[in-house]
Amino acid sequence: RAALRRRLGLPEDAIIALGCGPMELRKGPELFQLVALETLRRCSQDRLHFVWVGGGTDTCFDPVFWCQRDAKRCGMEDRMHFIGDVDDTAEAFLGSDLYMLTSREDPFPCVVHEAMACGLPVVSFESSGGASIMLADGGGVVVPFGDIEGMADIVLWWVIGDEDRIEAGAAGRHSVATHYRMSTYVAGLHNMGLQR
């Protein structure tokens, strides 16, 4: 936690909502930003920050260009951080407090596994892929696809309610440890092959 906050120049008590992936439309970085803006407009806590890990090209044809420009245009560039590609995402996941999956389409997102393994509660859009199945046993909340205000509601709930955020994160950690072990996955693939 301390290392991530030092890297970003944030106070020790900062709450970080994380998004991760290449800055491409399928991953929805601009949806992440819209949720961030909606949340920040409604949140009185200065300690809330939104961090996106993953890069793109800095041209007017790429989402990173517009996300950074729009954050500045709204006067929120000090609360939204687009840190680009990193060699290892562990610091970002271990140092954050919650995870926002804003993908339009993500069949079975490994970032959700990583977030759950790190004890981060996950909020995701419905009908965007496998996250709904992954969160069925706890560890997060699914909101209707494109419901920016609904996702902002969940982020605010977890920002205000430390206990609820920690409880959801613990449920996710248990779920990923129980259901998403590599040995279980490989056995499932093997069984599928035998059934064919």
Side-chain angles (χ1 to χ4, degrees):
R1 291 179 65 81
L4 180 60
R5 282 152 184 75
R6 276 196 305 272
R7 173 201 283 255
L8 298 172
L10 302 181
E12 290 181 13
D13 67 342
I15 294 178
I16 295 176
L18 180 66
C20 183
M23 291 285 273
E24 61 184 37
L25 292 175
R26 182 176 70 87
K27 295 291 187 177
E30 79 290 356
L31 297 175
F32 178 89
Q33 176 152 320
L34 289 173
V35 173
L37 289 172
E38 177 64 22
T39 307
L40 290 170
R41 285 189 187 104
R42 294 162 47 191
C43 182
S44 60
Q45 297 194 25
D46 289 341
R47 63 186 188 135
L48 176 59
H49 292 261
F50 292 82
V51 174
W52 184 280
V53 174
T57 57
D58 192 13
T59 72
C60 65
F61 301 107
D62 199 81
V64 68
F65 174 87
W66 292 106
C67 285
Q68 290 173 334
R69 180 173 283 206
D70 291 348
K72 188 172 186 177
R73 185 175 288 145
C74 295
M76 299 289 188
E77 68 271 21
D78 62 329
R79 306 285 290 282
M80 286 185 275
H81 313 271
F82 299 94
I83 63 175
D85 293 325
V86 298
D87 292 333
D88 186 355
T89 59
E91 178 184 89
F93 280 90
L94 290 168
S96 295
D97 297 285
L98 61 103
Y99 190 82
M100 293 167 43
L101 183 73
T102 54
S103 294
R104 290 179 164 84
E105 198 170 291
D106 222 326
F108 208 63
C110 62
V111 289
V112 172
H113 288 138
E114 192 165 355
M116 292 168 77
C118 292
L120 304 183
V122 176
V123 59
S124 173
F125 287 132
E126 194 173 49
S127 304
S128 63
S132 300
I133 296 166
M134 298 162 76
L135 297 173
D137 293 327
V141 177
V142 177
V143 299
F145 185 82
D147 186 354
I148 302 297
E149 291 184 358
M151 190 173 279
D153 288 341
I154 300 303
V155 173
L156 284 170
W157 173 41
W158 285 335
V159 168
I160 294 165
D162 289 337
E163 290 180 19
D164 291 331
R165 183 178 72 245
I166 292 166
E167 184 179 319
R173 183 181 287 131
H174 174 75
S175 178
V176 79
T178 304
H179 302 296
Y180 298 107
R181 300 174 64 87
M182 185 56 75
S183 57
T184 306
Y185 177 70
V186 171
L189 290 176
H190 179 72
N191 289 337
M192 286 173 57
L194 292 176
Q195 291 172 2
R196 290 183 182 167

